[in-house]
Each structure stands twice: as structure tokens, then as C-alpha cells.
Amino acid sequence: MAAEAQVDRLAAVEAKVARGERLGFEDGVALLASHELLRVGRLADAACRSKVGRKVFFVRNRHINYSNVCGNRCAFCAFSRSEGEDGAFVLSRQEVLDKARSASAGGVSEFHIVGGEDPHFTYEQARAMLADLRTAAPGVTLTAFTASEIAHFAEAGGCSVSEVLQGLKHAGLGSLPGGGAEVFAQRVRDLVCPRKVTAERWLDVHRQAHRLGIPSNATMLYGHVETVEERVDHLLRLRELQDETGGFQAFIPLAFHPANTRLAHLPGPTGTEDLKVVATARLLLDNFTHIKAYWVMLGIKLAQVALYFGADDLDGTILEEVITHMAGGTTQQAVSVGEIVRLVRQAGRIPVERDTFYRELHTYAEAG
Ligand code: V47
């Protein structure tokens, strides 16, 4: 597209936003294709401020990856191993509890628990793990199992997704994380994750969770083989489900990290792409309140800049991130509350510690 035509397309998007009109497919493509980064950012920043003001949220959380054994072996993943392969691990019940107890003593309010689709890790074990964690750390919210793990528990256990979700909720499940969505387009899934649940199934697990009163997050893993149009399609499918259920709390764009994956020949997304994806998500997902700048994947400095491009959440302290670091992530594995507060204040925003459900736990005074 000629540069001039692109500018015009962006002007049309700006006019729509000014009129309060919902953006469509072509608008999303225009935003992602634009080289007018600051104009795109300005639109997204205004949308973000009108929704959440100047607050930027974070959570004290701990990631627990209970197993990296996975039958899917997606091309973009450096974390998973086949059973018995070098580097494969399954944490014992005691190891999971030890990680949880020390994090709970350190004041976290959320455990983010995900693993591979381990053929030997059953629904009963998943339930027992949550029940153990609830006993060990009763005040900590359990954000556990991606939709693809839930679907796997249901298939392997011969029961329905709804039964699995109800059983896990009873054992202490608080919310579902947004992982496993990748890019919904089947063309992309055939190339990078042919064995993973389909888009329809991923969406349906979230639909059923929302119906049971279990809120969830949504992600998109971008910057590999997908087109701009496929990114927009992904966002619009999330928006459609959110119109139906209202159960999504946050959207998290995940920047592809190629190292140690079967897609290591790809370069991964650049900084302008990262920021345009955050901004486009904020503008297209007009029914999502929160857009996370996931510092682990963006890097801490770009995550801070993303606060001017529509993001209002930095995720959390994390403590021991594994999935991105195995794929060449170079950020630290944890960040302190003090550092998050400093980043937010220097962006001129108000740091707010939240729990999983965006209840505000502590608002930090603005920088003087
Ligand atoms: O499901 C895997 C993706 C996800 C790579 O819900 C990769 O609040 C980049 O879902 N490069 C796990 N991404 C992380 C995740 C997440 C993170 C933070 C917050 C939340 C939330 C969810 O990471 C996986 C997959 O989609 N992933 N490999 C890679 N090489």
C-alpha cells in the first residue's frame, strides 16, 4: 500500500474513533500496517485513559510450571519436551508445594500454574494439585491451566469440559490464564501447532468457564508466520466471545521468542510491531478493560513504553519465568514491586497493586 493511502486509512480510523464507532476488520489492518506509530499510539492511549484513567495495574504473582512434558510439541515452543527426553521434568507434589509456600510467605496473591499437555498428568492430579495449593496457601488465587490443558484433561479423562471446570472450581480454581490461544487462523495452526486444540475448542473452553463464573484472560502469540489479517481475525474472534459472555478480564499479546524453537530461523517481532499490536488490541478490543504489557516478553523498558500505547497492566512480579526464558528471553526472571512502581511512576501513571480479579489492593502515591 502506498504511504499516502495508508495515512488516509488511518485518518478514517481516527474519524471513526472520534465518532465513537466500533472499529472493524479493515480498521485493524490499517492500524497494524501503519507506519505512523505515534498516531496509532495516541489513539490507543486515549482509549485506554478513557477506560481506566491513569492507573497501571500489577499483581504479586508466582508462576509454577508443574510439567513441561507435552504431546503437542508446537513449533514455537522451547519449553516442552517429550516424555523421557533430556530436560523433561514433572514437579513432585512436594516441589509444587515448596514453591507455593515460599511465595505465599513472600506475599503473593496469585499462583499462575500451567504445564504441557502431559499424557500422564490426569484431571484427578490437576484437582488434587489445586486442592493441595488451596490448603497450603488459602489466601492465594489459583489461576491455572490453559484452555488446551483443560480440553486435554477432558479428553483423556473421558468427561466433558464443563465437568472438568466444575471439578477444578470446586477444588479452588479461581480463573483461567490466557495461554494456548496462539493465532486462531487454521492456516497458522497447521503450520505451528497442528496438534493443539482448534480455535473453536479454545474459545469454547473459555465460553464454558465464563458461564460457570470463572473469569479468564486471552492471549495472542504474534510475530512468527501469521499475517496482519490473521492477527486482526484473532482479535475480532475474542471480541465476539467477549460480547457474548463478558468473562475476559485482560488481553495479553505475547511477542514470539524464536531461540531454541523449530522456528529459530525467524527473527521475531520488532519494537514497532510490539507497540502496534498493543495499540491495535486496545482499539479493537473495545469490550476488554485491561491490556497487559507482559514485561517478560516485551522487555521491561518496552513494556514501560507500551503504557503510552494502550496498556494498563504490567502483569506481575512473576518469580521464576521459564517458558520465555527457554526460548531465549533475556529479561530477568522476576521483578520487584519497587521496580514496577518506579517504572509506572516514571511513565506518569499511578501504580496500583491488584488481585487476580482487578480488585485494588494498594494504590501507590504519585511521584512528587
Ligand atoms: O501458551 C510459548 C506462549 C504462553 C513461546 O493469562 C511463547 O495473564 C513467545 O500464556 N515465545 C504462556 N511466547 C504464557 C501465557 C501468559 C503469560 C502472562 C500472562 C498470562 C495471563 C498468560 O506463551 C503459551 C504460548 O502461547 N509461548 N512459547 C515463545 N517461544
Side-chain angles (χ1 to χ4, degrees):
M1 201 188 293
E4 224 169 275
Q6 266 186 27
V7 173
D8 283 344
R9 276 299 296 140
L10 204 53
V13 177
E14 285 167 337
K16 261 188 167 177
V17 170
R19 291 195 298 269
E21 263 176 51
R22 183 167 245 198
L23 299 183
F25 184 86
E26 292 304 334
D27 303 313
V29 171
L31 287 163
L32 286 172
S34 172
H35 293 136
E36 300 263 348
L37 182 64
L38 297 182
R39 277 174 71 190
V40 171
R42 192 182 297 275
L43 276 182
D45 191 39
C48 178
R49 278 167 178 251
S50 74
K51 200 163 270 176
V52 291
R54 291 174 53 233
K55 291 177 181 172
V56 172
F57 298 92
F58 68 94
V59 61
R60 287 180 209 243
N61 60 355
R62 209 257 187 249
H63 281 200
I64 301 178
N65 299 116
Y66 60 92
S67 167
N68 68 347
V69 176
C70 188
N72 287 344
R73 305 309 311 273
C74 302
F76 55 74
C77 183
F79 169 72
S80 69
R81 296 286 182 277
S82 298
E83 205 181 343
E85 190 182 340
D86 236 21
F89 72 81
V90 182
L91 297 186
S92 68
R93 200 170 166 169
Q94 197 51 50
E95 285 170 319
V96 170
L97 284 178
D98 288 346
K99 284 181 193 289
R101 285 208 182 93
S102 69
S104 166
V108 306
S109 67
E110 174 187 276
F111 296 140
H112 179 136
I113 305 152
V114 295
E117 286 182 35
D118 181 340
H120 298 297
F121 190 84
T122 62
Y123 162 51
E124 280 69 32
Q125 282 168 285
R127 226 172 34 185
M129 182 162 77
L130 295 190
D132 273 357
L133 287 168
R134 189 159 65 167
T135 309
V140 179
T141 301
L142 306 178
T143 295
F145 308 126
T146 62
S148 57
E149 287 165 274
I150 299 283
H152 162 69
F153 295 146
E155 262 152 48
C159 45
S160 70
V161 161
S162 175
E163 280 166 332
V164 168
L165 287 168
Q166 286 180 62
L168 294 176
K169 187 180 180 191
H170 189 68
L173 179 70
S175 76
L176 293 188
E182 322 315 356
V183 172
F184 289 145
Q186 194 55 46
R187 184 195 76 84
V188 176
R189 296 182 101 72
D190 287 343
L191 291 171
V192 304
C193 54
R195 294 198 200 155
K196 195 158 231 165
V197 284
T198 59
E200 291 70 28
R201 187 104 162 118
W202 189 98
L203 289 162
D204 195 51
V205 170
H206 284 262
R207 177 182 290 110
Q208 297 201 46
H210 298 170
R211 284 189 185 146
L212 292 167
I214 303 167
S216 70
N217 289 338
T219 58
M220 174 174 74
L221 168 56
Y222 67 92
H224 42 93
V225 302
E226 84 289 358
T227 62
V228 161
E229 286 78 6
E230 285 161 341
R231 290 180 192 166
V232 175
D233 168 69
H234 185 98
L235 294 171
L236 293 182
R237 289 171 83 165
L238 289 174
R239 184 171 83 181
E240 200 181 337
L241 181 56
Q242 180 75 331
D243 275 343
E244 186 185 320
T245 67
F248 286 119
Q249 303 198 110
F251 173 74
I252 308 105
L254 301 173
F256 175 52
H257 279 55
N260 307 318
T261 74
R262 297 207 306 283
L263 301 177
H265 55 285
L266 297 177
T270 63
T272 53
E273 267 184 294
D274 288 333
L275 293 174
K276 281 193 287 183
V277 171
V278 170
T280 304
R282 168 58 77 192
L283 289 161
L284 282 188
L285 297 177
D286 54 9
N287 51 5
F288 278 61
T289 309
H290 304 289
I291 306 291
K292 280 190 197 179
Y294 185 42
W295 61 262
V296 171
M297 293 198 188
L298 292 179
I300 286 181
K301 291 184 178 185
L302 195 62
Q304 182 193 35
V305 175
L307 301 178
Y308 291 88
F309 285 77
D312 69 308
D313 189 305
L314 285 175
D315 197 78
T317 48
I318 299 193
L319 306 178
E320 202 192 5
E321 201 285 332
V322 180
I323 297 177
T324 318
H325 285 86
M326 286 175 85
T330 53
T331 55
Q332 60 228 59
Q333 283 192 306
V335 69
S336 68
V337 169
E339 179 64 359
I340 292 181
V341 168
R342 190 173 80 94
L343 291 167
V344 174
R345 279 183 172 153
Q346 289 207 357
R349 305 290 161 104
I350 304 164
V352 179
E353 183 184 345
R354 62 166 176 86
D355 69 5
T356 306
F357 310 106
Y358 285 84
R359 288 179 299 219
E360 299 182 12
L361 303 179
H362 183 76
T363 301
Y364 288 77
E366 286 189 59

